[in-house]
Amino acid sequence: MTTATTTPDYSYEDGVGMLCNIEPDPAAEITQTIIHSVICAFGLFGNLLVITTYVFHKKAKTMTDVYLFNVAMADLIFVVALPLIIYNEQHKWFMGTAACKILRSAYSINLYSGMLLLACISGDRYVAIVHARRSFGSRSSALIYSRVICLVVWLSTAALTLPTLIYTKRFEENNGKASCEMSFDNNETAKLMKVLVPSLQMGVGFMLPLVVMLLCYSSVVFTLLRAKSSQRHKAVRVVLAVVVVFILCHLPYNVTLLVHTTVLFTQRDCGEEKLKFQVLTISRSVAYLHCCLNPILYAFVGVKFRAHFKQIIKDLCCFSKYFISSTRASRGTSEICISGVRISDGSNHVSSFSA
């Protein structure tokens, strides 16, 4: 995440002490806008489907269901805020300070809550598969445990996001333009926060979930390979896909962020600095892509979830047919289907069909 400071001591300079002026490439801006538009569209569509399915059909019955619902909510918050975040990066900021703080905090909220919840999912799958006999008791008690864990995750996310929320300001630049960036009043605060914020992102938002996922899913894969089941290879492929996609999406950005942080207060070459910021921008877009893939990796791979999703599609088709037929006054009857039941309101006959 790019940060700004009102003090000049932490700007990067070239070999003769002149400040570097990194102007965005118009072609790169257009490409970035297209990529982020795709991320917004698919992220909004996929996560809304997950939330809709859980709200109207597949009620949360397991701990993983509760975690998946919260992951979808975290991703939805981010994809809704992403268009305004990108607009702010490319144009003059036109909204107030409060909106500036909220939108800048959206990425941190998604990062911490989403990654920690994915770690919770891996832990839940570890207990369910490796220690199948261990349980939290009844279904109701398991749901209570999962909701308490989600509450702790959201509270932790709020605490970790506080630096971004506090220090993000509507920043007036010398050229008359305004931007929404992190801004500091003194050098010591700038030095602390410019190291603390990316360190928390890398440590809590990437390394901790990655270690938990690797430990849990390695045990899960080992247990599945020992099991005599025709579905074990499919389950192993799903687990491997989850881990590989997580690493591919987030490792490049975190490595680049680590390099950026380690040389933050040293004199750097302008050419290398421009290249690093280009890589940082590209890798950050790849990290954003993960919010589109979460619904596919975690929800739609489940047979029961897909069945409930198909039922929603059937109900929507039936409702659309009902409203179309109801507009035709010449017909005395119309039909409505709800969860596999067809009801004709022009007579007393009720018939059902197989879902």
Side-chain angles (χ1 to χ4, degrees), residues 6 48 58 68 104 168 194 243 248 259-260 274 298 339:
T6 56
L48 277 178
K58 191 183 187 304
L68 286 176
R104 270 297 179 183
T168 297
K194 283 193 169 186
V243 177
L248 290 179
V259 173
H260 171 71
K274 291 178 181 179
Y298 289 92
S339 298

Side-chain angles (χ1 to χ4, degrees), residues 14-314:
D14 61 12
V16 294
M18 299 296 292
L19 292 177
C20 288
N21 183 22
I22 298 182
E23 292 293 338
D25 183 10
E29 281 192 348
I30 294 174
T31 303
Q32 186 182 24
T33 301
I34 295 174
I35 293 174
H36 290 159
S37 299
V38 172
I39 292 174
C40 287
F42 282 93
L44 187 65
F45 179 73
N47 289 288
L48 277 178
L49 285 180
V50 173
I51 294 172
T52 302
T53 302
Y54 275 114
V55 169
F56 292 103
H57 277 265
K58 191 183 187 304
K59 305 300 181 182
K61 298 178 181 179
T62 65
M63 297 183 73
T64 296
D65 287 341
V66 176
Y67 297 145
L68 286 176
F69 179 81
N70 281 268
V71 168
M73 289 296 297
D75 288 339
L76 186 63
I77 291 173
F78 175 66
V79 297
V80 169
L82 184 57
L84 291 175
I85 294 174
I86 301 306
Y87 185 88
N88 166 58
E89 292 180 351
Q90 299 180 0
H91 302 84
K92 181 178 178 179
W93 181 257
F94 65 95
M95 303 179 77
T97 302
C100 168
K101 290 178 177 291
I102 293 172
L103 292 176
R104 270 297 179 183
S105 300
Y107 173 70
S108 295
I109 292 172
N110 170 259
L111 174 71
Y112 293 123
S113 60
M115 298 302 101
L116 292 175
L117 287 167
L118 294 185
C120 291
I121 292 174
S122 64
D124 181 54
R125 289 180 174 178
Y126 167 79
V127 173
I129 296 175
V130 179
H131 301 283
R133 295 182 180 180
R134 183 184 302 176
S135 65
F136 289 96
S138 63
R139 185 177 71 183
S140 59
S141 62
L143 291 178
I144 292 175
Y145 279 119
S146 61
R147 286 165 183 164
V148 170
I149 292 173
C150 287
L151 178 61
V152 172
V153 168
W154 284 107
L155 291 176
S156 301
T157 296
L160 292 166
T161 308
L162 273 179
T164 302
L165 186 65
I166 293 172
Y167 291 104
T168 297
K169 301 176 183 178
R170 188 177 183 274
F171 184 65
E172 296 288 345
E173 300 177 358
N174 296 330
N175 57 7
K177 292 184 178 180
S179 62
C180 179
E181 303 287 350
M182 291 186 72
S183 180
F184 311 99
D185 296 328
N186 58 76
N187 291 349
E188 293 303 319
T189 303
K191 182 180 291 187
L192 174 63
M193 289 300 158
K194 283 193 169 186
V195 174
L196 178 63
V197 172
S199 296
L200 287 174
Q201 290 184 11
M202 289 181 287
V204 181
F206 176 69
M207 287 304 302
L208 177 60
L210 178 63
V211 170
V212 173
M213 291 174 69
L214 289 176
L215 292 175
C216 291
Y217 284 136
S218 60
S219 298
V220 167
V221 169
F222 182 74
T223 302
L224 289 173
L225 291 176
R226 290 190 305 170
K228 296 180 180 180
S229 172
S230 59
Q231 298 295 321
R232 67 177 184 176
H233 293 296
K234 179 181 179 181
V236 170
R237 287 196 298 269
V238 170
V239 170
L240 293 178
V242 167
V243 177
V244 169
V245 169
F246 180 89
I247 293 175
L248 290 179
C249 285
H250 293 283
L251 183 61
Y253 176 63
N254 281 272
V255 170
T256 310
L257 189 62
L258 177 62
V259 173
H260 171 71
T261 305
T262 54
V263 299
L264 195 58
F265 305 115
T266 61
Q267 184 172 300
R268 288 98 74 193
D269 179 78
C270 272
E272 295 179 355
E273 195 69 16
K274 291 178 181 179
L275 177 61
K276 186 185 65 179
F277 269 90
Q278 289 176 356
V279 175
L280 196 64
T281 301
I282 295 172
S283 59
R284 183 176 56 184
S285 298
V286 175
Y288 290 169
L289 186 64
H290 198 237
C291 68
C292 304
L293 302 176
N294 280 334
I296 300 173
L297 292 171
Y298 289 92
F300 292 108
V301 295
V303 176
K304 292 183 179 179
F305 189 94
R306 290 203 305 270
H308 288 292
F309 172 69
K310 290 178 181 178
Q311 191 59 60
I312 288 180
I313 300 301
K314 288 182 179 179

